[in-house]
Amino acid sequence: MKAKVYVTLKKGVLDPQGKAVMGALQSMDFSEVNDVRIGKFMELEINASSKEAEEARIKEMCEKLLANTVIENYRIEIE
Amino acid sequence: MKAKVYVTLKKGVLDPQGKAVMGALQSMDFSEVNDVRIGKFMELEINASSKEAEEARIKEMCEKLLANTVIENYRIEIE
């Protein structure tokens, strides 16, 4: 089974990478850009018996490794 | 307007970051994981008059800066 995990910085957490990309875009004449925030996007391929079991396991992976839950949110999408 | 951009490695391109995460997951007893591929996820906030205009501009940004089109694909979602 395939699953997608989106990890984004929580609101209020400074995003220097996003700020750098925004600065670069603005200096390239994309002055209409007001804000850029950058996160991670992971595609996992997993052996699982059911969608529910898979989602529970991926949640565990996110809590333990894939996301830093102090500063990041995550969202799981099962296909 | 808000837009989301997903940048992923093309098929066949080696993903050492994904391989490292997969190794870490497997050593943490998530042995059901067969593959991990990691991409980027960007949220842009843009001043644009129309959805079409916005999409065209973001496409330009992707081609010029946000994605390396030699090894990466990108997908744009306008909200």
mmCIF file of all heavy atoms in Angstrom, chain A residues 23-49:
data_model
loop_
_atom_site.group_PDB
_atom_site.id
_atom_site.type_symbol
_atom_site.label_atom_id
_atom_site.label_comp_id
_atom_site.label_asym_id
_atom_site.label_seq_id
_atom_site.Cartn_x
_atom_site.Cartn_y
_atom_site.Cartn_z
ATOM 1 N N GLY A 23 12.828 35.496 -0.704
ATOM 2 C CA GLY A 23 13.760 36.553 -1.102
ATOM 3 C C GLY A 23 14.287 36.323 -2.513
ATOM 4 O O GLY A 23 14.372 37.254 -3.321
ATOM 5 N N ALA A 24 14.612 35.071 -2.815
ATOM 6 C CA ALA A 24 15.129 34.747 -4.144
ATOM 7 C C ALA A 24 14.071 35.012 -5.209
ATOM 8 O O ALA A 24 14.361 35.596 -6.261
ATOM 9 C CB ALA A 24 15.569 33.288 -4.183
ATOM 10 N N LEU A 25 12.830 34.602 -4.931
ATOM 11 C CA LEU A 25 11.741 34.824 -5.899
ATOM 12 C C LEU A 25 11.543 36.315 -6.136
ATOM 13 O O LEU A 25 11.397 36.770 -7.272
ATOM 14 C CB LEU A 25 10.443 34.189 -5.392
ATOM 15 C CG LEU A 25 10.344 32.666 -5.498
ATOM 16 C CD1 LEU A 25 9.110 32.159 -4.761
ATOM 17 C CD2 LEU A 25 10.287 32.215 -6.952
ATOM 18 N N GLN A 26 11.550 37.091 -5.047
ATOM 19 C CA GLN A 26 11.317 38.532 -5.197
ATOM 20 C C GLN A 26 12.441 39.196 -5.987
ATOM 21 O O GLN A 26 12.186 40.086 -6.792
ATOM 22 C CB GLN A 26 11.127 39.177 -3.821
ATOM 23 C CG GLN A 26 9.759 38.815 -3.241
ATOM 24 C CD GLN A 26 9.522 39.337 -1.844
ATOM 25 O OE1 GLN A 26 10.465 39.672 -1.144
ATOM 26 N NE2 GLN A 26 8.263 39.382 -1.435
ATOM 27 N N SER A 27 13.659 38.726 -5.780
ATOM 28 C CA SER A 27 14.775 39.322 -6.525
ATOM 29 C C SER A 27 14.763 38.867 -7.981
ATOM 30 O O SER A 27 15.484 39.406 -8.817
ATOM 31 C CB SER A 27 16.099 38.958 -5.865
ATOM 32 O OG SER A 27 16.369 37.601 -6.087
ATOM 33 N N MET A 28 13.940 37.841 -8.296
ATOM 34 C CA MET A 28 13.806 37.395 -9.688
ATOM 35 C C MET A 28 12.555 37.985 -10.329
ATOM 36 O O MET A 28 12.028 37.435 -11.303
ATOM 37 C CB MET A 28 13.718 35.869 -9.725
ATOM 38 C CG MET A 28 15.027 35.172 -9.404
ATOM 39 S SD MET A 28 14.734 33.433 -9.060
ATOM 40 C CE MET A 28 14.529 32.795 -10.724
ATOM 41 N N ASP A 29 12.058 39.067 -9.763
ATOM 42 C CA ASP A 29 10.888 39.774 -10.302
ATOM 43 C C ASP A 29 9.568 39.062 -10.086
ATOM 44 O O ASP A 29 8.587 39.345 -10.772
ATOM 45 C CB ASP A 29 11.058 40.091 -11.794
ATOM 46 C CG ASP A 29 11.891 41.355 -11.977
ATOM 47 O OD1 ASP A 29 11.841 42.215 -11.069
ATOM 48 O OD2 ASP A 29 12.586 41.483 -12.990
ATOM 49 N N PHE A 30 9.534 38.150 -9.142
ATOM 50 C CA PHE A 30 8.253 37.588 -8.723
ATOM 51 C C PHE A 30 7.810 38.339 -7.470
ATOM 52 O O PHE A 30 7.713 37.771 -6.385
ATOM 53 C CB PHE A 30 8.369 36.086 -8.444
ATOM 54 C CG PHE A 30 8.659 35.262 -9.662
ATOM 55 C CD1 PHE A 30 9.899 34.687 -9.854
ATOM 56 C CD2 PHE A 30 7.673 35.052 -10.618
ATOM 57 C CE1 PHE A 30 10.164 33.922 -10.981
ATOM 58 C CE2 PHE A 30 7.933 34.289 -11.755
ATOM 59 C CZ PHE A 30 9.178 33.729 -11.937
ATOM 60 N N SER A 31 7.565 39.646 -7.637
ATOM 61 C CA SER A 31 7.306 40.478 -6.460
ATOM 62 C C SER A 31 5.922 40.244 -5.874
ATOM 63 O O SER A 31 5.601 40.755 -4.804
ATOM 64 C CB SER A 31 7.486 41.944 -6.821
ATOM 65 O OG SER A 31 6.716 42.216 -7.971
ATOM 66 N N GLU A 32 5.079 39.473 -6.565
ATOM 67 C CA GLU A 32 3.735 39.210 -6.040
ATOM 68 C C GLU A 32 3.713 38.167 -4.927
ATOM 69 O O GLU A 32 2.671 37.938 -4.317
ATOM 70 C CB GLU A 32 2.792 38.769 -7.171
ATOM 71 C CG GLU A 32 3.070 37.381 -7.735
ATOM 72 C CD GLU A 32 3.913 37.410 -8.992
ATOM 73 O OE1 GLU A 32 4.965 38.085 -8.975
ATOM 74 O OE2 GLU A 32 3.532 36.761 -9.980
ATOM 75 N N VAL A 33 4.879 37.567 -4.675
ATOM 76 C CA VAL A 33 4.936 36.534 -3.631
ATOM 77 C C VAL A 33 5.004 37.183 -2.254
ATOM 78 O O VAL A 33 5.885 37.988 -1.973
ATOM 79 C CB VAL A 33 6.165 35.624 -3.841
ATOM 80 C CG1 VAL A 33 6.229 34.556 -2.762
ATOM 81 C CG2 VAL A 33 6.112 34.983 -5.210
ATOM 82 N N ASN A 34 4.047 36.867 -1.395
ATOM 83 C CA ASN A 34 4.004 37.438 -0.055
ATOM 84 C C ASN A 34 4.595 36.544 1.014
ATOM 85 O O ASN A 34 5.084 37.010 2.026
ATOM 86 C CB ASN A 34 2.548 37.713 0.350
ATOM 87 C CG ASN A 34 1.981 38.862 -0.416
ATOM 88 O OD1 ASN A 34 2.696 39.809 -0.737
ATOM 89 N ND2 ASN A 34 0.704 38.779 -0.740
ATOM 90 N N ASP A 35 4.489 35.248 0.792
ATOM 91 C CA ASP A 35 4.973 34.338 1.825
ATOM 92 C C ASP A 35 5.261 32.971 1.211
ATOM 93 O O ASP A 35 4.567 32.541 0.291
ATOM 94 C CB ASP A 35 3.922 34.187 2.933
ATOM 95 C CG ASP A 35 4.527 33.555 4.178
ATOM 96 O OD1 ASP A 35 5.743 33.710 4.403
ATOM 97 O OD2 ASP A 35 3.786 32.896 4.929
ATOM 98 N N VAL A 36 6.297 32.330 1.717
ATOM 99 C CA VAL A 36 6.616 30.968 1.298
ATOM 100 C C VAL A 36 6.913 30.161 2.557
ATOM 101 O O VAL A 36 7.672 30.608 3.416
ATOM 102 C CB VAL A 36 7.868 30.930 0.379
ATOM 103 C CG1 VAL A 36 8.184 29.493 -0.029
ATOM 104 C CG2 VAL A 36 7.669 31.781 -0.861
ATOM 105 N N ARG A 37 6.283 29.012 2.664
ATOM 106 C CA ARG A 37 6.624 28.098 3.759
ATOM 107 C C ARG A 37 6.930 26.732 3.151
ATOM 108 O O ARG A 37 6.242 26.284 2.249
ATOM 109 C CB ARG A 37 5.505 28.002 4.791
ATOM 110 C CG ARG A 37 5.451 29.293 5.599
ATOM 111 C CD ARG A 37 4.520 29.304 6.750
ATOM 112 N NE ARG A 37 4.876 28.536 7.930
ATOM 113 C CZ ARG A 37 5.694 28.935 8.898
ATOM 114 N NH1 ARG A 37 6.325 30.093 8.810
ATOM 115 N NH2 ARG A 37 5.890 28.188 9.966
ATOM 116 N N ILE A 38 7.993 26.138 3.655
ATOM 117 C CA ILE A 38 8.457 24.891 3.036
ATOM 118 C C ILE A 38 8.352 23.731 4.014
ATOM 119 O O ILE A 38 8.733 23.848 5.172
ATOM 120 C CB ILE A 38 9.905 25.057 2.526
ATOM 121 C CG1 ILE A 38 9.912 26.153 1.455
ATOM 122 C CG2 ILE A 38 10.447 23.745 1.972
ATOM 123 C CD1 ILE A 38 11.222 26.362 0.777
ATOM 124 N N GLY A 39 7.789 22.648 3.526
ATOM 125 C CA GLY A 39 7.666 21.453 4.347
ATOM 126 C C GLY A 39 8.207 20.251 3.606
ATOM 127 O O GLY A 39 8.842 20.378 2.560
ATOM 128 N N LYS A 40 7.955 19.089 4.177
ATOM 129 C CA LYS A 40 8.413 17.856 3.550
ATOM 130 C C LYS A 40 7.225 17.025 3.083
ATOM 131 O O LYS A 40 6.142 17.122 3.626
ATOM 132 C CB LYS A 40 9.247 17.042 4.539
ATOM 133 C CG LYS A 40 10.711 17.409 4.505
ATOM 134 C CD LYS A 40 11.420 16.857 5.707
ATOM 135 C CE LYS A 40 11.099 17.674 6.941
ATOM 136 N NZ LYS A 40 11.749 17.183 8.166
ATOM 137 N N PHE A 41 7.500 16.234 2.076
ATOM 138 C CA PHE A 41 6.469 15.419 1.471
ATOM 139 C C PHE A 41 7.070 14.039 1.292
ATOM 140 O O PHE A 41 8.100 13.898 0.641
ATOM 141 C CB PHE A 41 6.099 16.059 0.130
ATOM 142 C CG PHE A 41 5.285 15.197 -0.778
ATOM 143 C CD1 PHE A 41 4.046 14.745 -0.377
ATOM 144 C CD2 PHE A 41 5.750 14.840 -2.025
ATOM 145 C CE1 PHE A 41 3.288 13.937 -1.214
ATOM 146 C CE2 PHE A 41 4.999 14.047 -2.869
ATOM 147 C CZ PHE A 41 3.766 13.597 -2.458
ATOM 148 N N MET A 42 6.502 13.025 1.931
ATOM 149 C CA MET A 42 7.089 11.686 1.867
ATOM 150 C C MET A 42 6.105 10.690 1.278
ATOM 151 O O MET A 42 4.922 10.700 1.623
ATOM 152 C CB MET A 42 7.461 11.211 3.265
ATOM 153 C CG MET A 42 8.565 12.054 3.866
ATOM 154 S SD MET A 42 8.864 11.615 5.585
ATOM 155 C CE MET A 42 8.697 13.230 6.319
ATOM 156 N N GLU A 43 6.612 9.845 0.408
ATOM 157 C CA GLU A 43 5.813 8.760 -0.143
ATOM 158 C C GLU A 43 6.347 7.451 0.427
ATOM 159 O O GLU A 43 7.511 7.124 0.228
ATOM 160 C CB GLU A 43 5.902 8.754 -1.661
ATOM 161 C CG GLU A 43 5.154 9.917 -2.300
ATOM 162 C CD GLU A 43 5.398 10.008 -3.792
ATOM 163 O OE1 GLU A 43 6.581 10.166 -4.178
ATOM 164 O OE2 GLU A 43 4.442 9.917 -4.563
ATOM 165 N N LEU A 44 5.473 6.735 1.126
ATOM 166 C CA LEU A 44 5.889 5.474 1.740
ATOM 167 C C LEU A 44 5.202 4.313 1.032
ATOM 168 O O LEU A 44 4.050 4.427 0.613
ATOM 169 C CB LEU A 44 5.481 5.427 3.215
ATOM 170 C CG LEU A 44 5.916 6.585 4.112
ATOM 171 C CD1 LEU A 44 5.348 6.389 5.501
ATOM 172 C CD2 LEU A 44 7.416 6.677 4.184
ATOM 173 N N GLU A 45 5.917 3.234 0.931
ATOM 174 C CA GLU A 45 5.334 1.991 0.409
ATOM 175 C C GLU A 45 5.403 0.968 1.533
ATOM 176 O O GLU A 45 6.478 0.680 2.056
ATOM 177 C CB GLU A 45 6.150 1.544 -0.815
ATOM 178 C CG GLU A 45 5.727 0.244 -1.376
ATOM 179 C CD GLU A 45 5.144 0.388 -2.787
ATOM 180 O OE1 GLU A 45 5.445 1.374 -3.466
ATOM 181 O OE2 GLU A 45 4.387 -0.525 -3.167
ATOM 182 N N ILE A 46 4.250 0.454 1.915
ATOM 183 C CA ILE A 46 4.160 -0.338 3.140
ATOM 184 C C ILE A 46 3.361 -1.614 2.928
ATOM 185 O O ILE A 46 2.361 -1.613 2.222
ATOM 186 C CB ILE A 46 3.492 0.531 4.240
ATOM 187 C CG1 ILE A 46 4.466 1.610 4.678
ATOM 188 C CG2 ILE A 46 3.039 -0.295 5.420
ATOM 189 C CD1 ILE A 46 3.947 2.477 5.766
ATOM 190 N N ASN A 47 3.798 -2.691 3.558
ATOM 191 C CA ASN A 47 3.006 -3.923 3.613
ATOM 192 C C ASN A 47 2.050 -3.816 4.783
ATOM 193 O O ASN A 47 2.484 -3.766 5.934
ATOM 194 C CB ASN A 47 3.904 -5.135 3.859
ATOM 195 C CG ASN A 47 4.812 -5.400 2.689
ATOM 196 O OD1 ASN A 47 4.477 -5.105 1.543
ATOM 197 N ND2 ASN A 47 5.983 -5.943 2.966
ATOM 198 N N ALA A 48 0.769 -3.785 4.511
ATOM 199 C CA ALA A 48 -0.182 -3.704 5.616
ATOM 200 C C ALA A 48 -1.433 -4.476 5.243
ATOM 201 O O ALA A 48 -1.787 -4.588 4.071
ATOM 202 C CB ALA A 48 -0.524 -2.259 5.924
ATOM 203 N N SER A 49 -2.099 -5.017 6.263
ATOM 204 C CA SER A 49 -3.279 -5.846 5.999
ATOM 205 C C SER A 49 -4.513 -4.983 5.757
ATOM 206 O O SER A 49 -5.393 -5.338 4.989
ATOM 207 C CB SER A 49 -3.513 -6.783 7.178
ATOM 208 O OG SER A 49 -3.486 -6.055 8.382
#
